[in-house]
Amino acid sequence: QVLLVESGGGLVQAGESLRLSCAASGFSSYAMGWFRQAPGKEREFVATISGSGASTIYADSVKGRFTISRDNAKNTVALQMNSLKPEDTAVYYCASKSGALSSDPNRYPYWGQGTQVTVSS
């Protein structure tokens, strides 16, 4: 069983930065992903990282602004978000899966409770 707890959300102005963290139990070598969901919209892929941390994939909308990383010794995954835009406003979720990286949220069986990120213009 994998338990995930996100933290680090908050209210910032456009152009500022935030760092989200996801603490995981039962971490093992699972791939980890960040997804987000804005009000009235479907959950969308943000970034994912392999169990070793060697491979990453980003959504086009965040490429060059967000960085996903992991510390397997501390069982944590982080999402550094720079140059935030109002359209980045959403609840951000950490998720975990075994096997290959995926941008499909339906392939992730383990989810955290989410953390709110609000970017004002």
Side-chain angles (χ1 to χ4, degrees), residues 54-110:
S55 299
T56 57
I57 302 173
Y58 294 91
D60 288 343
S61 59
V62 306
K63 203 172 293 184
R65 300 188 298 123
F66 291 11
T67 302
I68 188 171
S69 61
R70 67 190 295 159
D71 184 338
N72 286 347
K74 296 181 178 179
N75 290 348
T76 58
V77 177
L79 185 68
Q80 178 66 41
M81 306 185 294
N82 299 329
S83 302
L84 282 162
K85 304 175 181 180
E87 51 264 44
D88 294 319
T89 295
V91 177
Y92 282 71
Y93 297 90
C94 175
S96 179
K97 66 178 297 292
S98 61
L101 299 182
S102 176
S103 61
D104 183 355
N106 295 313
R107 294 189 179 275
Y108 287 78
Y110 306 109

